[in-house]
Amino acid sequence: MKTNLKTYSGEALEGNFYTIGLNYKKADAEIRGHFSIDDTAKEKILEQGKADGIPSLTVISTCNRTELYGFAQHPYQLIKLLCQYTNGTVEEFEKVAYIYKNRDAVSHLFTVGTGLDSQILGDFEIISQLRNAFRESKKRDMINPFMERLANAVIQASKRIKNETGISSGATSVSFAAVQYIMAHVPQISEKNILLFGTGKIGRNTCENLIKHTKNDHITLVNRTKEKAEKVAGKFNLVVKDYADIQSEIAQADVLIVATGAQQPTISQELLYLNRPLLILDLSIPKNVSDDVLENELVTLVHMDQLSALTDHTLEQRAAQLPLAKKIIAEIEKEFNKWADHRKYAPTINALKNKLIEIKAGELDYQSKKIDGFNQEQAEIISNRLIQKITTHFANHLKGEEGSAESIELIRRVFQLETA
């Protein structure tokens, strides 16, 4: 449905509400890496957007998607910002991207924020990422009332789905999928040497899953900042090695898990001096393991996309909860759209009511002077009821129209209304 925002949110000058982005469905890990946005780039996008006159904007970039939500006169304003501060090009974006407008954009955000659009169904990590993204935009005064209300509605839907359905039951995530893969493909895993390179959020989650499911006490942690690795190691009583020792640690490993989150590969063939088979799992976006490691015949390389494609009984159980989750979304989305529609016509109806009250006051004053025994109290009651009925008729008319911008403008002109 193509509607101008003036017929949807009551703020015509802000343009339309858009979602532009790309995700795992059409963009592979390499392409997603080109459009990956770190914290510095996010800040620059928000700053540049504000300077460009974009009134409301939020940015999210995860391993599986990069999206911008905002108001613009044309979606290219947002696409330009994305390409300006990433390594992706407009041509590349157009091949794999999606653009949603107004209500379609609203629906998409509900689907994303509730984990229904996640690569692993029911992954609720996305809602905390969205919450943080909206919080950052608000700090920079880049959230208008429409988007703030929408963010709260999506958060509400996410909470209800998590509490009222089983769609997040079972431990299924990229980190858990990695551990599942290891357990399925590495015999006697409890006796193997596992090296975890990178102790960010995915690395920590993977570490927890390794300890819980493999019963392995030969896990070594390496991180560029050793103190971060030591914090994780202390929690689980694991070994920490210096980043300078990465080459020798790889040589002793049976499994290497890379979760470094760098913009360039951190593991390449030149680090590999192997005398035994090595399984490498790259959990990073963009890829942090160079494809040249496959030149070593002892290496098996598995990337995040392959792990995320794994399906199991847990995912089948989650899929069975989809109808209930969608019902909750539909309920909350309907409430939001009703609120958005009300914002569209409320200023006009309020102005109309005030205009009729003004006309009433003048007419009652005139009639009270002209008619002997004029009953002011009864006249007030009757005229107020008429005003209420008239404004209700106009409100119902506007509610029932898909594109009521013309009707709103007509009412404003006929009654010479001034609205804020």
Side-chain angles (χ1 to χ4, degrees), residues 155-221:
I155 291 168
Q156 179 192 0
S158 176
K159 286 179 180 176
R160 281 193 55 188
I161 289 172
K162 194 169 187 179
N163 293 333
E164 298 175 26
T165 78
I167 205 164
S168 60
S169 62
T172 300
S173 62
V174 170
S175 57
F176 182 66
V179 175
Q180 282 185 307
Y181 186 93
I182 293 169
M183 293 174 68
H185 293 83
V186 181
Q188 300 174 316
I189 184 59
S190 61
E191 301 173 12
K192 302 297 183 180
N193 293 328
I194 301 175
L195 176 61
L196 176 59
F197 181 29
T199 54
K201 189 164 187 178
I202 291 180
R204 292 195 304 272
N205 290 343
T206 304
C207 188
E208 290 181 9
N209 281 308
L210 282 170
I211 292 166
K212 181 178 179 181
H213 298 287
T214 67
K215 312 300 181 185
N216 188 303
D217 58 1
H218 307 286
I219 301 172
T220 301
L221 306 184

Side-chain angles (χ1 to χ4, degrees), residues 255-375:
V255 178
L256 168 62
I257 302 170
V258 182
T260 42
Q263 293 299 307
Q264 301 294 331
T266 54
I267 300 294
S268 57
Q269 185 193 24
E270 61 189 19
L271 289 175
L272 306 184
Y273 290 87
L274 308 179
N275 56 17
R276 63 172 121 183
L278 176 65
L279 171 63
I280 304 178
L281 290 87
D282 187 358
L283 309 187
S284 310
I285 293 291
K287 291 180 179 179
N288 278 197
V289 178
S290 174
D291 288 337
D292 67 10
V293 300
L294 291 172
E295 295 175 15
N296 190 313
E297 61 184 14
L298 293 173
V299 169
T300 301
L301 175 62
V302 178
H303 193 262
M304 178 183 286
D305 283 351
Q306 295 164 266
L307 296 172
S308 298
L310 294 175
T311 57
D312 59 11
H313 183 57
T314 299
L315 290 181
E316 291 176 9
Q317 290 179 318
R318 290 185 176 192
Q321 298 291 306
L322 267 174
L324 181 54
K326 289 180 178 179
K327 184 178 178 181
I328 292 171
I329 290 174
E331 178 185 327
I332 297 175
E333 187 176 348
K334 183 179 179 181
E335 290 176 2
F336 173 79
N337 285 330
K338 184 177 180 181
W339 170 84
D341 284 339
H342 180 73
R343 290 183 75 225
K344 168 185 63 181
Y345 61 76
T348 300
I349 294 300
N350 289 335
L352 174 60
K353 188 172 184 178
N354 290 333
K355 186 73 171 183
L356 294 175
I357 289 172
E358 180 186 326
I359 294 171
K360 177 201 77 171
E363 188 62 25
L364 292 187
D365 180 62
Y366 172 76
Q367 295 296 340
S368 66
K369 294 174 182 177
K370 185 177 179 181
I371 301 173
D372 290 335
F374 181 75
N375 192 320

Side-chain angles (χ1 to χ4, degrees), residues 92-110:
E92 201 172 28
F93 178 83
E94 289 175 341
K95 291 177 182 177
V96 297
Y98 42 81
I99 298 171
Y100 297 108
K101 181 178 178 181
N102 293 336
R103 288 201 176 183
D104 289 337
V106 168
S107 293
H108 178 75
L109 186 53
F110 269 101

